[in-house]
Amino acid sequence: MQLSRTALLEAYRKMRTIRTFEDKVHDLFETGELPGFVHLYAGEEASAVGVCAHLDDEDRIISTHRGHGHCIAKGCDVEGMMLELFGRRDGVCGGKGGSMHIADLSKGMMGANAIVGGGPPLACGAALAAKTLKTGKVAVTFTGDGGSNQGTTFESLNLASVWKLPLIFVFENNGYAESTGSGWSVAGGDIVRRAPAFNMPGVQVDGFDFFAVHEAAGEAVERARRGEGPTLLEIKFGRFYGHHEGDAQTYRAKGEVAKLKAEKDPLAGFRKRVTSAALLTAADLDAIDAEIETLIEGSVALARKSPMPDPKVDLLTDVYIRY
Amino acid sequence: MQLSRTALLEAYRKMRTIRTFEDKVHDLFETGELPGFVHLYAGEEASAVGVCAHLDDEDRIISTHRGHGHCIAKGCDVEGMMLELFGRRDGVCGGKGGSMHIADLSKGMMGANAIVGGGPPLACGAALAAKTLKTGKVAVTFTGDGGSNQGTTFESLNLASVWKLPLIFVFENNGYAESTGSGWSVAGGDIVRRAPAFNMPGVQVDGFDFFAVHEAAGEAVERARRGEGPTLLEIKFGRFYGHHEGDAQTYRAKGEVAKLKAEKDPLAGFRKRVTSAALLTAADLDAIDAEIETLIEGSVALARKSPMPDPKVDLLTDVYIRY
Amino acid sequence: MARILTYREALREALRQVLEEDPTVIVMGEDIAGGLGAPGELDAWGGDMGVTKGLFGQFGPERILDTPISESAYIGAAVGAATCGLRPIAELMFVDFMGVCFDQLLNQGAKFRYMFGGKAKTPVVIRTQYGAGYRTAAQHSQSLYPLFAHVPGLKVVIPSTAYDAKGLLISSVRDDDPVVFFEHKVLYDEARDHVPEAPYAIPFGEANFVREGEDVTIVAIGRMVHVAKRAADKLAQEKIEVELIDPRTISPLDEDSILESVEKTGRLVVVDEAHPRCGMAADIAALVADKAFKSLKAPVKCVTAPHTPVPFSPVLEDAFIPSDMAVAAAARTVMA
Amino acid sequence: MARILTYREALREALRQVLEEDPTVIVMGEDIAGGLGAPGELDAWGGDMGVTKGLFGQFGPERILDTPISESAYIGAAVGAATCGLRPIAELMFVDFMGVCFDQLLNQGAKFRYMFGGKAKTPVVIRTQYGAGYRTAAQHSQSLYPLFAHVPGLKVVIPSTAYDAKGLLISSVRDDDPVVFFEHKVLYDEARDHVPEAPYAIPFGEANFVREGEDVTIVAIGRMVHVAKRAADKLAQEKIEVELIDPRTISPLDEDSILESVEKTGRLVVVDEAHPRCGMAADIAALVADKAFKSLKAPVKCVTAPHTPVPFSPVLEDAFIPSDMAVAAAARTVMA
Ligand SMILES: Cc1ncc(C[n+]2csc(CCOP(=O)(O)OP(=O)(O)O)c2C)c(N)n1
Ligand SMILES: Cc1ncc(C[n+]2csc(CCOP(=O)(O)OP(=O)(O)O)c2C)c(N)n1
Ligand SMILES: [Mg+2]
Ligand SMILES: [Mg+2]
């Protein structure tokens, strides 16, 4: 699939936004400014962006605890996200959700989800709604290697196949679930081997390579749109930070992260590929880098001066629509 | 594997006991003498007996809602079982469990289980205990085709593989989960296709054929005893009665059950095979039939005159060991 | 002339009517039609208890969906679809099975609206069977609604009559929040009463005064309403006039009606088939011990199932279920 | 001289000691060692909160077992292994995750003994984290112990101090029934107190009288004991003498101690971080409204978290958690 200049610029912009957002959040967490459990997506950008490039606002995705990248790729407002992480009233979830529950239904982003395996059943529902209402839309559920072992995930694979849902299971295999290696926790090592068990196609993809992800995801989405049912994608790559902020990462090999950053950075790979093929220029990309830097800095500045929710008003609202 | 005369007689005795027990329970339910949910195992005898022939009292099995056959195959006392179905104080569970919770831990029978998919995790535990305590014992979990779709079952397959447990997953595919066909509910139709997804050997077996089950189970049990980990067996056959007593079975083909009984009866098949190979005589088998008839009739008679539990004494006991 | 339906028929009529009135309503569950992938009849079961029988024929496979035995996946699918424009009604065959799928309600459906800052709407209904009396033993006889009432974001509905069953189910489906709807397995046939044919909705949080009286307030839930009614009849012969309240929904709970009644009678007995610890009886007793304390003339008595699993043996199970005798005895105690 | 340990250290010491004293004790959970199948260090995490750190080195992979993210399978495995001669301690990282694995406790472990006619013994301990205050939002901050206390067959333990944490964990492991052991995530570092080195066991069902007083009984659970203690200090300055009771185990519950105290003071405030509906506060209030009614001089007040999910924003979360001010206000109300 040949990508247009606009599409390429957009893909890079999204990936750069994720990277800069995450690097910034990392710093903010280190200084103690951000609280809670925060899981960063840096290094995995090609997956979210490569998949979501095929989707519009009515296609739906469900994410995991590591959700910032999926949000950005799906078009969520970056300022609203930053405010949310700061727990501010004007955050995308009013400050009530935080990093692990960030969502924007209006963008088809059905939420980060802090229950590992929480998303796949919900995604079956999103896909079922599309099928029932004949919208031609699809759903995508992102799950980690660790989450691939959750019973809810397996059930969803089977249900999606039996119901022939327009659903793509994207397994983001970054090699670890917290500190546990996926080669150990996933029997047999490869998640893609589970696809035949559920009678669906499965594809393993180099997740550092935006173009590989983009192509595999495109086929899966097309298949789903044609009504041919679900596909399993296993995206293999590595995360640039710890499991969550504060993780000392002693379970990783010495130099592993440095090597990843040096040799496998999906943004660097993208840059090399598009500039060497003369699809985009370094200047195009540099301009985006600068633009995004400003965007993220601005969102932090805005978050800092934004009001907190008011416990008297906001604590008890939004539990029910009516009670 | 060549079976001794004793082993053959024992296998037939067990199968006949199951059949006669179930036929009798069917009649008792029809007359209204037995209450509750009762699921009969008739037609599936070769599975329980073919598998349990390789086990002793310290090997453990976990069953399903359709548990009578597994109990008998594992050596539970038939009178105690019948009393249990009648809700009597001297039933194997004191009348507190009933058909769906019949158990005898002293025989390594860890219980029928009325939660579909409830057993496999527990069986992982039984296998783990054997492994940890280095007893050389194994565990077997029986699950239906319907139960193969439960998340707990999938998780257990993965865990057993990852922990390399001495565990055999016996999937009894009788074609239906209640009224739902397994060709529909199991994506792809065959449960055995799931074995490679969990990096374990999988074997599909004709479940009407005692010898086929016996051989496949023997290999799986040996493998487990050797410390080589779990195996998945898919036993394909059909049940002679409805899902539970009272099921009108309109989802089955006309004449399906009659045909099964006429052509696929595992007891008849066994008889034919052993007599034509002159391993046992018809007289040997007839004697067992008569013996078992007496046993079951006797157990019903005993149950009828046995005392009920005493609500004042028995309702509140056995919740805790100490509280 | 009164049109008499069973609880089962009333539920089926409600389902048919909501399916007719709103094309976004779908129904899903294990064997709710039945016969899929089987060589015989379709709609072979119509649900474990026959409640959904006939819907498949009328509404077809796109709206009446059978599922594999994968409660997490399909209950979650119902929750997810509810956020995407459908109004799914999912059947959890027995509430005892909540343990394999609770997360999709506890942490997902119940919390979306709050976690997402008020921006989600999750109009899903989970229909489920509960209760003892059917000789189905420990894993098929529980009354686990206290576990759902504990969870903010869920609404919990427990009809005791065929009339309420229909009206409350219609309300549940039209409601924009997640609802867990409890059907007592013994009532499917036992409860038979007047049910108008035209659709009607019974509002949540409005208790039903089954009987008015001056002496003692009895609050009873679900099937226990019938048990309490029998107790009240007995007590009337002893000149003890019971005010019998059926909350109908326990979340929201009609606190005002209960408090007003206790302010009048000064005495309260709560009757609940659920276990006693952290149960609905305690919930209501605590409410009254706080907000109607001044009016109370006697200890608040709870008549509940014991703190034991549900036994199989009929003699034990019958002793497990709160009886009209136990309710009457409790009422006499608070009158003494 | 007093040996001061944190709650975390006390728990770790208890684990080490039970592993040393009984070879059938094993420990399992996600990343309780950490580093399996990874290229770096083993025992890299020692649990999400570092409680189990070091055990892997001492006891090895046969007794300290990491698991895939498959809570049903491994919690169930712990339950199953407990019936087969082991004494497993399984960690459910956050109690919020109960929704993906509850069945193995609700319908399996809790019910074996009863269903099997008294013939099963299931000595399993589920260690789990609960509670708000860590900014971990709706799916990682709940206090769901009422859902476990409701279930006959389970024991529920909630230590509030390092001393109790050690003694109760040792009792839990030595106990022959299934125990769910709740650790408050904020207490791991905050609670620090005297902990003797030699193993000791604190019996279940024996409340701790944290403070004796004549005016008002406050029953507080888990971390709320500390909140109530601060409230009691304030109230003491106003000449209101609080009797503060920490039940330590909520199933079994030391009813006698609570009732005796209320018989003395005539007043009760219950403080609980769990949600109010069908919660522990209601449970205790109902107990007193029945069995100590005659002694009660004022309404029973419950100070609990609200009927809302746990919010993320620190300002909201702080308002969500019952405060010493709210407790003191409730005490003043019942004294008025
Ligand atoms: C049901 C459940 N179990 C455990 C956890 C704790 N937990 C959060 S993230 C995580 C690891 C997830 O690993 P993976 O799925 O590979 O995603 P990654 O973090 O690598 O993106 C675990 C165990 C949880 N949040 N939910
Ligand atoms: C968790 C759970 N879901 C649903 C049920 C209801 N149920 C009991 S048996 C059954 C069908 C089981 O089918 P299968 O596993 O194939 O076993 P079979 O009855 O054919 O032996 C169902 C749906 C249950 N008991 N537990
Ligand atoms: Mg991972
Ligand atoms: Mg079957």
Side-chain angles (χ1 to χ4, degrees):
Chain A
M1 201 179 328
Q2 188 58 52
L3 280 141
S4 71
R5 179 181 159 82
T6 322
L8 288 170
L9 286 170
E10 182 60 14
Y12 185 77
R13 179 177 288 107
K14 287 266 168 70
M15 292 204 288
R16 172 57 64 198
T17 308
I18 296 172
R19 175 66 54 85
T20 308
F21 187 91
E22 296 296 58
D23 286 347
K24 189 73 206 174
V25 169
H26 173 78
D27 295 344
L28 291 166
F29 193 92
E30 288 225 313
T31 63
E33 202 170 347
L34 286 185
F37 283 168
V38 177
H39 308 79
L40 302 182
Y41 196 72
E44 308 192 356
E45 294 87 351
S47 171
V49 177
V51 171
C52 293
H54 302 283
L55 309 177
D56 69 21
D57 286 356
E58 264 89 60
D59 295 309
R60 271 133 179 158
I61 69 165
I62 306 228
S63 173
T64 66
H65 53 287
R66 196 175 303 288
H68 307 167
H70 304 127
C71 284
I72 292 171
K74 197 67 175 47
C76 296
D77 177 60
V78 170
E79 283 182 349
M81 288 176 60
M82 191 62 85
L83 265 67
E84 188 61 30
L85 297 200
F86 273 83
R88 305 293 152 149
R89 191 195 64 195
D90 301 324
V92 63
C93 300
K96 286 178 172 171
S99 167
M100 295 197 291
H101 307 300
I102 200 160
D104 187 347
L105 300 178
S106 72
K107 297 288 179 189
M109 165 57 194
M110 292 174 67
N113 203 311
I115 302 297
V116 170
L122 300 165
C124 285
L128 176 66
K131 185 174 174 174
T132 305
L133 299 171
K134 302 192 188 355
T135 60
K137 300 299 169 185
V138 305
V140 176
T141 176
F142 294 93
T143 309
D145 47 284
S148 80
N149 299 319
Q150 186 64 269
T152 55
T153 306
F154 289 114
E155 287 187 7
S156 302
L157 285 160
N158 189 60
L159 184 67
S161 182
V162 166
W163 277 356
K164 228 179 182 195
L165 295 176
L167 178 53
I168 297 94
F169 290 88
V170 178
F171 286 99
E172 300 189 319
N173 187 346
N174 60 11
Y176 302 99
E178 297 191 339
S179 71
T180 299
S182 62
W184 179 82
S185 73
V186 176
D190 290 316
I191 300 167
V192 71
R193 289 179 65 192
R194 294 180 178 165
F198 298 102
N199 207 29
M200 66 175 78
V203 186
Q204 201 175 50
V205 189
D206 174 0
F208 295 111
D209 178 354
F210 167 81
F211 295 94
V213 174
H214 186 269
E215 189 178 329
E219 281 168 27
V221 169
E222 277 321 304
R223 195 178 120 81
R225 289 203 204 283
R226 286 194 308 267
E228 292 170 19
T231 299
L232 183 159
L233 303 181
E234 179 181 9
I235 316 262
K236 297 203 70 162
F237 49 19
R239 54 172 152 76
F240 282 7
Y241 289 112
H243 169 66
H244 50 35
E245 290 308 279
D247 175 7
Q249 302 191 70
T250 60
Y251 52 87
R252 300 185 84 162
K254 284 226 174 63
E256 178 185 330
V257 175
K259 199 164 140 73
L260 273 185
K261 287 187 179 170
E263 297 170 15
K264 295 286 199 177
D265 185 332
L267 277 80
F270 183 97
R271 177 180 283 259
K272 200 162 151 200
R273 171 97 165 253
V274 294
T275 51
S276 65
L279 297 167
L280 299 176
T281 65
D284 291 333
L285 301 171
D286 292 345
I288 289 176
D289 292 353
E291 172 201 327
I292 299 305
E293 187 65 29
T294 309
L295 172 68
I296 301 296
E297 286 299 335
S299 72
V300 173
L302 180 67
R304 284 187 176 133
K305 61 173 202 260
S306 285
M308 282 291 180
D310 178 353
K312 290 206 190 60
V313 179
D314 298 316
L315 177 62
L316 302 180
T317 53
D318 301 329
V319 183
Y320 298 93
I321 292 182
R322 205 176 35 138
Y323 195 56
Chain B
M1 201 178 326
Q2 188 60 50
L3 280 141
S4 70
R5 180 181 157 80
T6 323
L8 289 169
L9 287 170
E10 181 60 14
Y12 184 76
R13 178 176 289 107
K14 287 267 168 70
M15 292 203 290
R16 172 56 65 198
T17 309
I18 296 172
R19 175 65 55 84
T20 308
F21 187 92
E22 297 296 58
D23 285 348
K24 188 73 205 174
V25 169
H26 174 77
D27 294 344
L28 291 166
F29 194 92
E30 288 225 313
T31 63
E33 201 171 346
L34 285 186
F37 283 168
V38 177
H39 308 78
L40 302 181
Y41 196 72
E44 307 191 356
E45 294 86 350
S47 172
V49 177
V51 171
C52 293
H54 302 283
L55 310 178
D56 68 21
D57 286 358
E58 264 88 60
D59 294 311
R60 270 131 180 160
I61 69 165
I62 306 230
S63 173
T64 66
H65 53 288
R66 197 177 300 290
H68 307 167
H70 303 127
C71 284
I72 292 172
K74 197 66 174 45
C76 296
D77 178 58
V78 170
E79 284 182 350
M81 289 176 60
M82 190 62 84
L83 265 66
E84 188 61 31
L85 298 199
F86 273 83
R88 304 292 152 150
R89 191 195 65 193
D90 301 325
V92 63
C93 300
K96 286 178 172 171
S99 168
M100 295 198 292
H101 307 301
I102 201 160
D104 186 349
L105 300 178
S106 72
K107 297 287 179 190
M109 164 58 196
M110 292 173 67
N113 204 310
I115 301 298
V116 170
L122 300 165
C124 286
L128 177 66
K131 184 173 175 176
T132 305
L133 299 170
K134 304 194 187 355
T135 60
K137 300 300 168 185
V138 305
V140 176
T141 176
F142 294 92
T143 309
D145 46 284
S148 80
N149 299 319
Q150 185 65 268
T152 54
T153 306
F154 289 115
E155 287 186 7
S156 301
L157 285 160
N158 191 60
L159 184 66
S161 182
V162 166
W163 277 356
K164 227 179 183 197
L165 295 176
L167 178 53
I168 297 95
F169 290 87
V170 178
F171 286 99
E172 299 189 320
N173 186 345
N174 59 11
Y176 302 99
E178 296 191 338
S179 72
T180 299
S182 62
W184 178 82
S185 73
V186 176
D190 291 315
I191 301 167
V192 72
R193 289 179 65 192
R194 294 180 180 166
F198 299 102
N199 207 28
M200 65 175 80
V203 186
Q204 203 175 48
V205 189
D206 174 2
F208 296 111
D209 179 353
F210 167 81
F211 296 93
V213 175
H214 186 270
E215 187 177 330
E219 280 168 27
V221 169
E222 278 321 304
R223 194 178 121 82
R225 290 204 202 283
R226 286 196 307 267
E228 292 170 19
T231 300
L232 183 159
L233 303 182
E234 180 181 10
I235 316 264
K236 298 204 70 162
F237 49 20
R239 54 172 152 76
F240 283 7
Y241 289 112
H243 169 66
H244 49 35
E245 290 308 280
D247 176 8
Q249 302 191 69
T250 61
Y251 51 88
R252 300 185 85 161
K254 283 225 178 64
E256 179 184 328
V257 174
K259 200 164 138 76
L260 273 184
K261 287 187 180 171
E263 298 171 16
K264 295 286 198 178
D265 186 332
L267 277 79
F270 184 96
R271 177 180 280 261
K272 200 164 148 197
R273 171 98 165 251
V274 294
T275 51
S276 65
L279 297 166
L280 299 176
T281 66
D284 291 334
L285 301 170
D286 292 345
I288 290 176
D289 292 353
E291 173 202 325
I292 300 304
E293 186 65 30
T294 310
L295 172 68
I296 302 295
E297 286 301 334
S299 72
V300 172
L302 179 68
R304 284 189 177 130
K305 62 172 201 262
S306 285
M308 283 290 182
D310 177 355
K312 290 208 189 60
V313 178
D314 298 317
L315 177 62
L316 302 181
T317 53
D318 302 329
V319 183
Y320 298 92
I321 292 181
R322 204 175 37 134
Y323 195 56
Chain C
M1 223 202 65
R3 184 170 168 271
I4 303 297
L5 295 189
T6 62
Y7 194 81
R8 174 188 291 107
E9 289 163 344
L11 289 166
R12 191 188 299 139
E13 184 163 279
L15 288 170
R16 189 171 346 101
Q17 290 175 345
V18 292
L19 280 156
E20 280 167 351
E21 85 182 13
D22 184 345
T24 67
V25 173
I26 61 169
V27 178
M28 61 173 81
E30 292 155 11
D31 301 276
I32 57 157
L36 256 68
E41 278 179 21
L42 284 178
D43 202 18
W45 271 36
D48 180 62
M49 292 288 183
V51 174
T52 46
K53 185 84 183 171
L55 299 179
F56 186 83
Q58 184 176 350
F59 300 99
E62 294 197 353
R63 297 187 64 198
I64 311 297
L65 290 96
D66 272 8
T67 69
I69 307 178
S70 306
E71 285 86 359
S72 284
Y74 80 78
I75 299 277
V79 169
T83 67
C84 298
L86 295 182
R87 289 188 176 269
I89 306 170
E91 178 176 302
L92 180 64
M93 198 183 287
F94 292 80
V95 72
D96 310 71
F97 310 160
M98 67 171 283
V100 299
C101 61
F102 192 35
D103 185 69
Q104 292 295 324
L105 295 170
L106 170 70
N107 284 319
Q108 314 300 339
K111 295 186 171 44
F112 283 164
R113 189 164 181 81
Y114 197 80
M115 292 193 302
F116 301 164
K119 291 179 190 157
K121 181 174 107 173
T122 312
V124 66
V125 179
I126 311 298
R127 285 182 49 239
T128 191
Q129 258 181 88
Y130 77 99
Y134 219 79
R135 284 61 172 112
T136 46
Q139 295 176 341
H140 279 67
S141 306
Q142 297 167 87
S143 298
L144 299 172
Y145 39 77
L147 307 188
F148 296 84
H150 184 69
V151 180
L154 299 181
K155 292 176 175 171
V156 181
V157 178
I158 314 181
S160 67
T161 66
Y163 177 86
D164 285 353
K166 177 170 173 180
L168 288 168
L169 185 50
I170 289 176
S171 294
S172 299
V173 176
R174 292 182 186 162
D175 199 276
D176 282 335
D177 293 309
V179 175
V180 189
F181 189 93
F182 282 81
E183 306 170 6
H184 198 297
K185 55 176 80 64
V186 169
L187 294 180
Y188 286 126
D189 293 307
E190 266 189 15
R192 302 164 51 84
D193 42 81
H194 172 59
V195 177
E197 187 160 0
Y200 56 94
I202 296 175
F204 290 173
E206 287 194 13
N208 181 29
F209 281 74
V210 179
R211 177 179 187 129
E212 304 199 356
E214 302 295 316
D215 297 326
V216 51
T217 302
I218 300 187
V219 179
I221 290 161
R223 187 183 178 209
M224 291 301 107
V225 173
H226 303 278
V227 170
K229 221 191 278 182
R230 287 199 301 274
D233 289 341
K234 275 191 201 154
L235 291 163
Q237 293 169 8
E238 303 165 25
K239 304 269 177 279
I240 298 176
E241 290 304 329
V242 167
E243 180 136 299
L244 176 54
I245 299 182
D246 172 359
R248 299 199 285 203
T249 64
I250 61 166
S251 180
L253 179 69
D254 183 352
E255 302 190 351
D256 291 346
S257 291
I258 295 170
L259 293 171
E260 274 165 34
S261 177
V262 176
E263 276 154 19
K264 178 174 72 176
T265 62
R267 298 180 164 89
L268 175 64
V269 173
V270 193
V271 191
D272 187 15
E273 194 184 321
H275 300 300
R277 301 297 316 283
C278 298
M280 262 317 290
D283 186 88
I284 291 170
L287 167 75
V288 167
D290 178 5
K291 301 212 183 129
F293 178 76
K294 291 273 145 60
S295 313
L296 273 179
K297 297 176 201 152
V300 176
K301 289 287 168 194
C302 295
V303 182
T304 68
H307 186 66
T308 76
V310 186
F312 163 67
S313 182
V315 297
L316 296 179
E317 192 185 29
D318 290 344
F320 174 93
I321 302 168
S323 67
D324 48 4
M325 269 152 51
V327 175
R332 282 183 211 112
T333 307
V334 299
M335 289 302 297
Chain D
M1 224 200 67
R3 185 169 167 271
I4 303 296
L5 295 189
T6 63
Y7 194 80
R8 175 188 290 106
E9 289 162 343
L11 289 166
R12 191 187 299 138
E13 185 164 279
L15 288 170
R16 190 171 345 102
Q17 290 174 345
V18 291
L19 280 156
E20 281 167 352
E21 83 182 13
D22 184 344
T24 67
V25 173
I26 61 169
V27 178
M28 61 173 81
E30 291 155 10
D31 301 276
I32 57 158
L36 256 66
E41 277 178 22
L42 284 178
D43 202 18
W45 270 37
D48 180 63
M49 292 289 183
V51 174
T52 46
K53 186 85 181 172
L55 299 179
F56 186 82
Q58 185 175 352
F59 300 100
E62 294 196 354
R63 299 188 62 199
I64 310 297
L65 290 95
D66 271 8
T67 70
I69 306 179
S70 305
E71 284 85 359
S72 283
Y74 79 78
I75 299 278
V79 169
T83 68
C84 299
L86 295 182
R87 289 188 175 271
I89 306 169
E91 178 176 302
L92 180 63
M93 198 184 288
F94 292 79
V95 72
D96 311 70
F97 308 161
M98 67 170 282
V100 299
C101 62
F102 192 35
D103 185 68
Q104 292 294 324
L105 295 171
L106 170 69
N107 285 318
Q108 313 299 341
K111 295 186 171 45
F112 282 164
R113 190 165 180 79
Y114 198 78
M115 293 193 301
F116 300 165
K119 291 179 191 156
K121 182 174 108 174
T122 312
V124 65
V125 179
I126 310 298
R127 285 181 49 237
T128 191
Q129 257 181 88
Y130 78 100
Y134 219 79
R135 285 60 172 112
T136 46
Q139 295 175 340
H140 278 66
S141 306
Q142 297 168 85
S143 298
L144 298 172
Y145 38 78
L147 307 187
F148 295 84
H150 183 69
V151 180
L154 299 180
K155 292 175 175 170
V156 181
V157 178
I158 314 182
S160 67
T161 66
Y163 178 84
D164 286 353
K166 176 170 173 180
L168 289 168
L169 185 50
I170 288 176
S171 294
S172 299
V173 177
R174 292 181 186 163
D175 198 275
D176 281 336
D177 292 310
V179 174
V180 189
F181 189 93
F182 282 81
E183 305 170 5
H184 199 297
K185 56 175 80 65
V186 169
L187 294 181
Y188 286 126
D189 292 307
E190 266 189 14
R192 303 164 51 85
D193 43 80
H194 173 58
V195 177
E197 186 159 2
Y200 55 94
I202 297 175
F204 290 174
E206 286 192 16
N208 182 27
F209 281 75
V210 180
R211 175 179 188 130
E212 304 199 357
E214 302 294 317
D215 297 328
V216 51
T217 302
I218 300 187
V219 179
I221 291 161
R223 186 181 179 210
M224 291 301 107
V225 173
H226 303 279
V227 170
K229 221 190 280 183
R230 286 199 301 274
D233 290 341
K234 277 194 200 153
L235 291 163
Q237 294 167 7
E238 302 165 27
K239 302 270 177 278
I240 299 177
E241 288 305 329
V242 167
E243 180 137 302
L244 176 54
I245 299 181
D246 172 0
R248 299 199 285 203
T249 64
I250 61 166
S251 180
L253 180 68
D254 184 352
E255 301 190 353
D256 291 346
S257 291
I258 295 170
L259 293 172
E260 273 164 35
S261 176
V262 175
E263 276 153 21
K264 178 175 71 177
T265 62
R267 297 178 164 90
L268 176 64
V269 174
V270 194
V271 191
D272 188 15
E273 193 184 321
H275 301 300
R277 302 297 317 283
C278 299
M280 261 318 290
D283 185 88
I284 291 169
L287 167 75
V288 167
D290 178 4
K291 300 211 182 130
F293 178 76
K294 291 273 145 60
S295 314
L296 274 178
K297 297 177 203 153
V300 176
K301 289 287 168 196
C302 296
V303 181
T304 69
H307 186 66
T308 75
V310 185
F312 164 67
S313 182
V315 297
L316 295 180
E317 192 186 28
D318 291 343
F320 174 93
I321 302 169
S323 66
D324 48 3
M325 269 154 49
V327 175
R332 281 183 211 112
T333 307
V334 300
M335 289 301 297

